[in-house]
Amino acid sequence: PSAARPPFERAHELAVMSNIPLTRELAQTWLTSVAARMGELPNDGGGWGAALGTARRIGDPLQEATIHQQRALGMAAGANPDWPAILDDLERAAALFEASEVRPALVRTLRGQARALDALDRRQDAAAARAHAAELGRAISCWRATSSRTPADTTAAFSDPPARLVGADQTSARTAPGEPSSP
């Protein structure tokens, strides 16, 4: 995450200079997300709230979903995650991604949602979210067997979210849950 900070700082600087609605807020959102993943979440929540307000005001559901997703990932990386708030953001993001038919982002969001549900001890709901993510992933060909990886040494299918949202108990990111990895 620390290597991501300088490009996002530059993007934010350019966005502020250009004064294009949502651009500066999105750049601030990504800066806040990087800071949160490094354990430096600002007390005021960074730029997430302003970015959500702008996305809603200009009617951009895809950006709104992305901001909800990033805020959830950032909050999950904090010292004391607010799992109900994280789950709320992930549910909002999932609904918006589904309505926008952005299925790869929906798969990522559902996987995070399953981890949040696990943290809230809602195992059946977590299993349902994982199954939905796996089914959708297979439908869009996002899962494929690998030749030399096991579930314990693989990374997330589309991104590398904090360990709190993708734990060691996850199956291979390139193999759908319940499907064996290739030897």
Side-chain angles (χ1 to χ4, degrees), residues 19-141:
N19 199 28
I20 299 170
L22 193 59
T23 304
R24 70 179 167 270
E25 286 86 356
L26 283 175
Q28 183 61 48
T29 294
W30 288 103
L31 272 175
T32 302
S33 295
V34 167
R37 290 176 186 186
M38 294 174 58
E40 303 168 4
L41 182 62
N43 289 335
D44 65 358
W48 291 322
L52 275 171
T54 302
R56 288 177 183 142
R57 190 175 66 252
I58 66 172
D60 191 335
L62 183 56
Q63 294 305 327
E64 183 180 345
T66 300
I67 296 161
H68 278 296
Q69 182 190 53
Q70 288 303 308
R71 184 166 67 178
L73 292 171
M75 288 190 302
N80 297 307
D82 180 352
W83 291 110
I86 291 166
L87 180 60
D88 182 62
D89 266 333
L90 291 168
E91 287 174 342
R92 289 172 188 250
L96 290 163
F97 283 136
E98 191 161 29
S100 300
E101 298 182 11
V102 183
R103 295 185 298 172
L106 177 57
V107 171
R108 281 192 299 272
T109 302
L110 289 169
R111 293 179 77 220
Q113 190 176 344
R115 297 300 298 161
L117 288 162
D118 279 335
L120 293 168
D121 202 30
R122 292 175 50 191
R123 305 290 183 218
Q124 286 184 319
D125 293 334
R130 270 192 201 87
H132 186 193
E135 177 184 341
L136 186 58
R138 281 189 299 273
I140 59 176
S141 301

